[in-house]
Amino acid sequence: MHNAGGPPICRAASKLTARRVSRHDFAILLSAPRNWSKLALLFVIGCSGLALYNLGLRHAHPIIIAAILNLSPFWAALVARVISRKAIPISPFLFCACFLVAFVGAMLIAWSQIEDSSSASPDELLKSLLHGSWKYATPIPIFFALSGTLVGHWFRELDESATMAANFIVSAAVLIPGTLLAAYLWSVPAVPSDGKEAVLLLLIGTLSAAAAGRVFYQVALTVTDNDNGFVTMFFLLVPALSSLISLPLSWWIPELRFAAGPMFFGGLALVAASLFVFSSRSW
C-alpha cells in the first residue's frame, strides 16, 4: 500500500479535501465534539444498511432485492417530509404515477440483465418471496435516505466533500482496527501475493466510486434544499446505467454480460418518459 501512495481510505479523504474550503470545513467537523455523536450515528446507519444488504442476498431472488432497492424514492420522500419538512414538489397523484411507471421500467431493466431469468418460474419467485431472506433488505432504502437527509440537515452550511471525508475517516477509525482484530481472532487466511494487487485495486476503485457518488448525492440535496424525494427519483436510472456501463467493460471482461433486448429498451423507455414528466413538472 505504501507504493500505491498510502492507504486507500487516506487517499480518498485527501482527494475529497483537495480544496481549501474543504480542508477548513473538514477540520471544523472533526474538531468540534458536538459533531462526533452525529458522525457516529451516520456510521451506524451506514453499517446497518450494508449488514442488512448482505443478509438479504443470502436466500432471496436478486429481482426481489432489486425491487426493494428501487423503492428508494418512496421512502426518501417520506424521510424528507419527516426530518426536513420537505413537501413533494408535485401533486402526490402525479408523483405516485411517475414513480410507479419508472419502478416498472427499472424492474424490467433489472430482469432483462439477470442471467437465465426466463428459467425462474413463478413458483420459485413465490417461494423466495414467502420464505426468502429479502425481508432483511427492506429497511435499506430508508437507511440510505436517512443518511443523506441527516447529513444535509446537520451539516448544511459545510462543504459536502468535507462532510464525506469526515465520514470516511470515522468509518476507517472503526472498521480497519476491527477488521484486523477479527482477522487475528478468527484466523482468516492470508491473501496470496498474486492477489494483493487485485484487492488493492478493488479497494481504491470502490472507495473512489463511493466517495464521488456520495459527494454528488449530497450536492444534489444541497441544490434542492434537502429534497430527498426529488433526488432519489433519479436513482431509478441505476439499473439502466449499470447495464450500459457493463457494455464497454464486457469487451475486456468476458464474465460481464449485457443483454440489449426488447425488455431492456422497453424498461429504459418507461424510466426515461416518467422521469422526463416528473422533472419537467417539478421545475
mmCIF file with all atom_site columns, all heavy atoms in Angstrom, residues 245-259:
data_model
loop_
_atom_site.group_PDB
_atom_site.id
_atom_site.type_symbol
_atom_site.label_atom_id
_atom_site.label_alt_id
_atom_site.label_comp_id
_atom_site.label_asym_id
_atom_site.label_entity_id
_atom_site.label_seq_id
_atom_site.pdbx_PDB_ins_code
_atom_site.Cartn_x
_atom_site.Cartn_y
_atom_site.Cartn_z
_atom_site.occupancy
_atom_site.B_iso_or_equiv
_atom_site.pdbx_formal_charge
_atom_site.auth_seq_id
_atom_site.auth_comp_id
_atom_site.auth_asym_id
_atom_site.auth_atom_id
_atom_site.pdbx_PDB_model_num
ATOM 1   N N   . ILE A 1 245 ? -22.968 0.670   -18.542 1.00 0.00 ? 245 ILE A N   1
ATOM 2   C CA  . ILE A 1 245 ? -21.553 0.693   -18.173 1.00 0.00 ? 245 ILE A CA  1
ATOM 3   C C   . ILE A 1 245 ? -20.903 -0.660  -18.399 1.00 0.00 ? 245 ILE A C   1
ATOM 4   O O   . ILE A 1 245 ? -19.729 -0.756  -18.782 1.00 0.00 ? 245 ILE A O   1
ATOM 5   C CB  . ILE A 1 245 ? -21.404 1.142   -16.703 1.00 0.00 ? 245 ILE A CB  1
ATOM 6   C CG1 . ILE A 1 245 ? -21.746 2.623   -16.569 1.00 0.00 ? 245 ILE A CG1 1
ATOM 7   C CG2 . ILE A 1 245 ? -19.989 0.900   -16.194 1.00 0.00 ? 245 ILE A CG2 1
ATOM 8   C CD1 . ILE A 1 245 ? -21.791 3.111   -15.143 1.00 0.00 ? 245 ILE A CD1 1
ATOM 9   N N   . SER A 1 246 ? -21.662 -1.731  -18.179 1.00 0.00 ? 246 SER A N   1
ATOM 10  C CA  . SER A 1 246 ? -21.103 -3.071  -18.370 1.00 0.00 ? 246 SER A CA  1
ATOM 11  C C   . SER A 1 246 ? -20.855 -3.384  -19.843 1.00 0.00 ? 246 SER A C   1
ATOM 12  O O   . SER A 1 246 ? -20.091 -4.306  -20.146 1.00 0.00 ? 246 SER A O   1
ATOM 13  C CB  . SER A 1 246 ? -22.042 -4.117  -17.774 1.00 0.00 ? 246 SER A CB  1
ATOM 14  O OG  . SER A 1 246 ? -23.251 -4.196  -18.504 1.00 0.00 ? 246 SER A OG  1
ATOM 15  N N   . LEU A 1 247 ? -21.490 -2.638  -20.753 1.00 0.00 ? 247 LEU A N   1
ATOM 16  C CA  . LEU A 1 247 ? -21.308 -2.924  -22.185 1.00 0.00 ? 247 LEU A CA  1
ATOM 17  C C   . LEU A 1 247 ? -19.865 -2.746  -22.643 1.00 0.00 ? 247 LEU A C   1
ATOM 18  O O   . LEU A 1 247 ? -19.261 -3.700  -23.159 1.00 0.00 ? 247 LEU A O   1
ATOM 19  C CB  . LEU A 1 247 ? -22.255 -2.056  -23.016 1.00 0.00 ? 247 LEU A CB  1
ATOM 20  C CG  . LEU A 1 247 ? -22.094 -2.151  -24.541 1.00 0.00 ? 247 LEU A CG  1
ATOM 21  C CD1 . LEU A 1 247 ? -22.324 -3.583  -25.006 1.00 0.00 ? 247 LEU A CD1 1
ATOM 22  C CD2 . LEU A 1 247 ? -23.048 -1.198  -25.248 1.00 0.00 ? 247 LEU A CD2 1
ATOM 23  N N   . PRO A 1 248 ? -19.232 -1.566  -22.465 1.00 0.00 ? 248 PRO A N   1
ATOM 24  C CA  . PRO A 1 248 ? -17.829 -1.458  -22.902 1.00 0.00 ? 248 PRO A CA  1
ATOM 25  C C   . PRO A 1 248 ? -16.887 -2.316  -22.063 1.00 0.00 ? 248 PRO A C   1
ATOM 26  O O   . PRO A 1 248 ? -15.878 -2.809  -22.579 1.00 0.00 ? 248 PRO A O   1
ATOM 27  C CB  . PRO A 1 248 ? -17.517 0.033   -22.747 1.00 0.00 ? 248 PRO A CB  1
ATOM 28  C CG  . PRO A 1 248 ? -18.490 0.523   -21.742 1.00 0.00 ? 248 PRO A CG  1
ATOM 29  C CD  . PRO A 1 248 ? -19.730 -0.277  -21.937 1.00 0.00 ? 248 PRO A CD  1
ATOM 30  N N   . LEU A 1 249 ? -17.203 -2.502  -20.765 1.00 0.00 ? 249 LEU A N   1
ATOM 31  C CA  . LEU A 1 249 ? -16.334 -3.336  -19.930 1.00 0.00 ? 249 LEU A CA  1
ATOM 32  C C   . LEU A 1 249 ? -16.380 -4.797  -20.348 1.00 0.00 ? 249 LEU A C   1
ATOM 33  O O   . LEU A 1 249 ? -15.403 -5.527  -20.152 1.00 0.00 ? 249 LEU A O   1
ATOM 34  C CB  . LEU A 1 249 ? -16.748 -3.196  -18.462 1.00 0.00 ? 249 LEU A CB  1
ATOM 35  C CG  . LEU A 1 249 ? -16.533 -1.818  -17.814 1.00 0.00 ? 249 LEU A CG  1
ATOM 36  C CD1 . LEU A 1 249 ? -17.038 -1.826  -16.377 1.00 0.00 ? 249 LEU A CD1 1
ATOM 37  C CD2 . LEU A 1 249 ? -15.058 -1.428  -17.853 1.00 0.00 ? 249 LEU A CD2 1
ATOM 38  N N   . SER A 1 250 ? -17.506 -5.226  -20.910 1.00 0.00 ? 250 SER A N   1
ATOM 39  C CA  . SER A 1 250 ? -17.623 -6.630  -21.325 1.00 0.00 ? 250 SER A CA  1
ATOM 40  C C   . SER A 1 250 ? -16.689 -6.970  -22.483 1.00 0.00 ? 250 SER A C   1
ATOM 41  O O   . SER A 1 250 ? -16.421 -8.139  -22.742 1.00 0.00 ? 250 SER A O   1
ATOM 42  C CB  . SER A 1 250 ? -19.072 -6.939  -21.721 1.00 0.00 ? 250 SER A CB  1
ATOM 43  O OG  . SER A 1 250 ? -19.455 -6.165  -22.850 1.00 0.00 ? 250 SER A OG  1
ATOM 44  N N   . TRP A 1 251 ? -16.175 -5.966  -23.185 1.00 0.00 ? 251 TRP A N   1
ATOM 45  C CA  . TRP A 1 251 ? -15.212 -6.231  -24.255 1.00 0.00 ? 251 TRP A CA  1
ATOM 46  C C   . TRP A 1 251 ? -13.876 -6.714  -23.702 1.00 0.00 ? 251 TRP A C   1
ATOM 47  O O   . TRP A 1 251 ? -13.125 -7.380  -24.398 1.00 0.00 ? 251 TRP A O   1
ATOM 48  C CB  . TRP A 1 251 ? -15.004 -4.960  -25.089 1.00 0.00 ? 251 TRP A CB  1
ATOM 49  C CG  . TRP A 1 251 ? -16.268 -4.445  -25.717 1.00 0.00 ? 251 TRP A CG  1
ATOM 50  C CD1 . TRP A 1 251 ? -17.392 -5.166  -25.989 1.00 0.00 ? 251 TRP A CD1 1
ATOM 51  C CD2 . TRP A 1 251 ? -16.532 -3.100  -26.136 1.00 0.00 ? 251 TRP A CD2 1
ATOM 52  N NE1 . TRP A 1 251 ? -18.350 -4.359  -26.558 1.00 0.00 ? 251 TRP A NE1 1
ATOM 53  C CE2 . TRP A 1 251 ? -17.858 -3.081  -26.666 1.00 0.00 ? 251 TRP A CE2 1
ATOM 54  C CE3 . TRP A 1 251 ? -15.806 -1.920  -26.122 1.00 0.00 ? 251 TRP A CE3 1
ATOM 55  C CZ2 . TRP A 1 251 ? -18.449 -1.923  -27.181 1.00 0.00 ? 251 TRP A CZ2 1
ATOM 56  C CZ3 . TRP A 1 251 ? -16.393 -0.772  -26.626 1.00 0.00 ? 251 TRP A CZ3 1
ATOM 57  C CH2 . TRP A 1 251 ? -17.691 -0.775  -27.147 1.00 0.00 ? 251 TRP A CH2 1
ATOM 58  N N   . TRP A 1 252 ? -13.578 -6.344  -22.447 1.00 0.00 ? 252 TRP A N   1
ATOM 59  C CA  . TRP A 1 252 ? -12.328 -6.781  -21.815 1.00 0.00 ? 252 TRP A CA  1
ATOM 60  C C   . TRP A 1 252 ? -12.554 -7.841  -20.738 1.00 0.00 ? 252 TRP A C   1
ATOM 61  O O   . TRP A 1 252 ? -11.653 -8.596  -20.435 1.00 0.00 ? 252 TRP A O   1
ATOM 62  C CB  . TRP A 1 252 ? -11.616 -5.582  -21.194 1.00 0.00 ? 252 TRP A CB  1
ATOM 63  C CG  . TRP A 1 252 ? -11.097 -4.620  -22.202 1.00 0.00 ? 252 TRP A CG  1
ATOM 64  C CD1 . TRP A 1 252 ? -9.907  -4.691  -22.886 1.00 0.00 ? 252 TRP A CD1 1
ATOM 65  C CD2 . TRP A 1 252 ? -11.734 -3.429  -22.666 1.00 0.00 ? 252 TRP A CD2 1
ATOM 66  N NE1 . TRP A 1 252 ? -9.775  -3.634  -23.731 1.00 0.00 ? 252 TRP A NE1 1
ATOM 67  C CE2 . TRP A 1 252 ? -10.890 -2.825  -23.626 1.00 0.00 ? 252 TRP A CE2 1
ATOM 68  C CE3 . TRP A 1 252 ? -12.948 -2.806  -22.365 1.00 0.00 ? 252 TRP A CE3 1
ATOM 69  C CZ2 . TRP A 1 252 ? -11.210 -1.649  -24.278 1.00 0.00 ? 252 TRP A CZ2 1
ATOM 70  C CZ3 . TRP A 1 252 ? -13.274 -1.630  -23.013 1.00 0.00 ? 252 TRP A CZ3 1
ATOM 71  C CH2 . TRP A 1 252 ? -12.412 -1.061  -23.960 1.00 0.00 ? 252 TRP A CH2 1
ATOM 72  N N   . ILE A 1 253 ? -13.751 -7.874  -20.150 1.00 0.00 ? 253 ILE A N   1
ATOM 73  C CA  . ILE A 1 253 ? -14.057 -8.832  -19.082 1.00 0.00 ? 253 ILE A CA  1
ATOM 74  C C   . ILE A 1 253 ? -15.151 -9.765  -19.584 1.00 0.00 ? 253 ILE A C   1
ATOM 75  O O   . ILE A 1 253 ? -16.335 -9.401  -19.620 1.00 0.00 ? 253 ILE A O   1
ATOM 76  C CB  . ILE A 1 253 ? -14.516 -8.108  -17.799 1.00 0.00 ? 253 ILE A CB  1
ATOM 77  C CG1 . ILE A 1 253 ? -13.480 -7.052  -17.391 1.00 0.00 ? 253 ILE A CG1 1
ATOM 78  C CG2 . ILE A 1 253 ? -14.734 -9.113  -16.664 1.00 0.00 ? 253 ILE A CG2 1
ATOM 79  C CD1 . ILE A 1 253 ? -13.892 -6.221  -16.207 1.00 0.00 ? 253 ILE A CD1 1
ATOM 80  N N   . PRO A 1 254 ? -14.803 -10.973 -20.002 1.00 0.00 ? 254 PRO A N   1
ATOM 81  C CA  . PRO A 1 254 ? -15.794 -11.877 -20.606 1.00 0.00 ? 254 PRO A CA  1
ATOM 82  C C   . PRO A 1 254 ? -16.941 -12.232 -19.670 1.00 0.00 ? 254 PRO A C   1
ATOM 83  O O   . PRO A 1 254 ? -18.043 -12.544 -20.129 1.00 0.00 ? 254 PRO A O   1
ATOM 84  C CB  . PRO A 1 254 ? -14.961 -13.125 -20.952 1.00 0.00 ? 254 PRO A CB  1
ATOM 85  C CG  . PRO A 1 254 ? -13.537 -12.645 -21.009 1.00 0.00 ? 254 PRO A CG  1
ATOM 86  C CD  . PRO A 1 254 ? -13.447 -11.544 -20.000 1.00 0.00 ? 254 PRO A CD  1
ATOM 87  N N   . GLU A 1 255 ? -16.704 -12.192 -18.346 1.00 0.00 ? 255 GLU A N   1
ATOM 88  C CA  . GLU A 1 255 ? -17.751 -12.596 -17.403 1.00 0.00 ? 255 GLU A CA  1
ATOM 89  C C   . GLU A 1 255 ? -18.906 -11.594 -17.348 1.00 0.00 ? 255 GLU A C   1
ATOM 90  O O   . GLU A 1 255 ? -20.012 -11.955 -16.940 1.00 0.00 ? 255 GLU A O   1
ATOM 91  C CB  . GLU A 1 255 ? -17.173 -12.769 -15.994 1.00 0.00 ? 255 GLU A CB  1
ATOM 92  C CG  . GLU A 1 255 ? -16.247 -13.969 -15.835 1.00 0.00 ? 255 GLU A CG  1
ATOM 93  C CD  . GLU A 1 255 ? -14.866 -13.720 -16.403 1.00 0.00 ? 255 GLU A CD  1
ATOM 94  O OE1 . GLU A 1 255 ? -14.588 -12.541 -16.766 1.00 0.00 ? 255 GLU A OE1 1
ATOM 95  O OE2 . GLU A 1 255 ? -14.074 -14.667 -16.499 1.00 0.00 ? 255 GLU A OE2 1
ATOM 96  N N   . LEU A 1 256 ? -18.652 -10.349 -17.743 1.00 0.00 ? 256 LEU A N   1
ATOM 97  C CA  . LEU A 1 256 ? -19.724 -9.361  -17.753 1.00 0.00 ? 256 LEU A CA  1
ATOM 98  C C   . LEU A 1 256 ? -20.689 -9.646  -18.898 1.00 0.00 ? 256 LEU A C   1
ATOM 99  O O   . LEU A 1 256 ? -20.310 -10.148 -19.949 1.00 0.00 ? 256 LEU A O   1
ATOM 100 C CB  . LEU A 1 256 ? -19.152 -7.948  -17.895 1.00 0.00 ? 256 LEU A CB  1
ATOM 101 C CG  . LEU A 1 256 ? -18.467 -7.371  -16.664 1.00 0.00 ? 256 LEU A CG  1
ATOM 102 C CD1 . LEU A 1 256 ? -17.923 -5.989  -16.971 1.00 0.00 ? 256 LEU A CD1 1
ATOM 103 C CD2 . LEU A 1 256 ? -19.418 -7.304  -15.480 1.00 0.00 ? 256 LEU A CD2 1
ATOM 104 N N   . ARG A 1 257 ? -21.942 -9.291  -18.664 1.00 0.00 ? 257 ARG A N   1
ATOM 105 C CA  . ARG A 1 257 ? -22.980 -9.601  -19.651 1.00 0.00 ? 257 ARG A CA  1
ATOM 106 C C   . ARG A 1 257 ? -23.898 -8.401  -19.803 1.00 0.00 ? 257 ARG A C   1
ATOM 107 O O   . ARG A 1 257 ? -24.286 -7.786  -18.824 1.00 0.00 ? 257 ARG A O   1
ATOM 108 C CB  . ARG A 1 257 ? -23.794 -10.814 -19.178 1.00 0.00 ? 257 ARG A CB  1
ATOM 109 C CG  . ARG A 1 257 ? -25.010 -11.159 -20.006 1.00 0.00 ? 257 ARG A CG  1
ATOM 110 C CD  . ARG A 1 257 ? -25.714 -12.376 -19.416 1.00 0.00 ? 257 ARG A CD  1
ATOM 111 N NE  . ARG A 1 257 ? -26.980 -12.617 -20.072 1.00 0.00 ? 257 ARG A NE  1
ATOM 112 C CZ  . ARG A 1 257 ? -28.129 -12.089 -19.697 1.00 0.00 ? 257 ARG A CZ  1
ATOM 113 N NH1 . ARG A 1 257 ? -28.158 -11.270 -18.651 1.00 0.00 ? 257 ARG A NH1 1
ATOM 114 N NH2 . ARG A 1 257 ? -29.253 -12.357 -20.343 1.00 0.00 ? 257 ARG A NH2 1
ATOM 115 N N   . PHE A 1 258 ? -24.217 -8.072  -21.047 1.00 0.00 ? 258 PHE A N   1
ATOM 116 C CA  . PHE A 1 258 ? -25.163 -7.008  -21.331 1.00 0.00 ? 258 PHE A CA  1
ATOM 117 C C   . PHE A 1 258 ? -26.159 -7.515  -22.362 1.00 0.00 ? 258 PHE A C   1
ATOM 118 O O   . PHE A 1 258 ? -25.781 -7.867  -23.483 1.00 0.00 ? 258 PHE A O   1
ATOM 119 C CB  . PHE A 1 258 ? -24.448 -5.759  -21.850 1.00 0.00 ? 258 PHE A CB  1
ATOM 120 C CG  . PHE A 1 258 ? -25.395 -4.687  -22.331 1.00 0.00 ? 258 PHE A CG  1
ATOM 121 C CD1 . PHE A 1 258 ? -26.183 -4.003  -21.426 1.00 0.00 ? 258 PHE A CD1 1
ATOM 122 C CD2 . PHE A 1 258 ? -25.500 -4.393  -23.674 1.00 0.00 ? 258 PHE A CD2 1
ATOM 123 C CE1 . PHE A 1 258 ? -27.059 -3.024  -21.858 1.00 0.00 ? 258 PHE A CE1 1
ATOM 124 C CE2 . PHE A 1 258 ? -26.359 -3.412  -24.113 1.00 0.00 ? 258 PHE A CE2 1
ATOM 125 C CZ  . PHE A 1 258 ? -27.143 -2.723  -23.205 1.00 0.00 ? 258 PHE A CZ  1
ATOM 126 N N   . ALA A 1 259 ? -27.413 -7.580  -21.963 1.00 0.00 ? 259 ALA A N   1
ATOM 127 C CA  . ALA A 1 259 ? -28.469 -8.079  -22.847 1.00 0.00 ? 259 ALA A CA  1
ATOM 128 C C   . ALA A 1 259 ? -29.266 -6.897  -23.376 1.00 0.00 ? 259 ALA A C   1
ATOM 129 O O   . ALA A 1 259 ? -30.064 -6.296  -22.644 1.00 0.00 ? 259 ALA A O   1
ATOM 130 C CB  . ALA A 1 259 ? -29.375 -9.053  -22.099 1.00 0.00 ? 259 ALA A CB  1
#
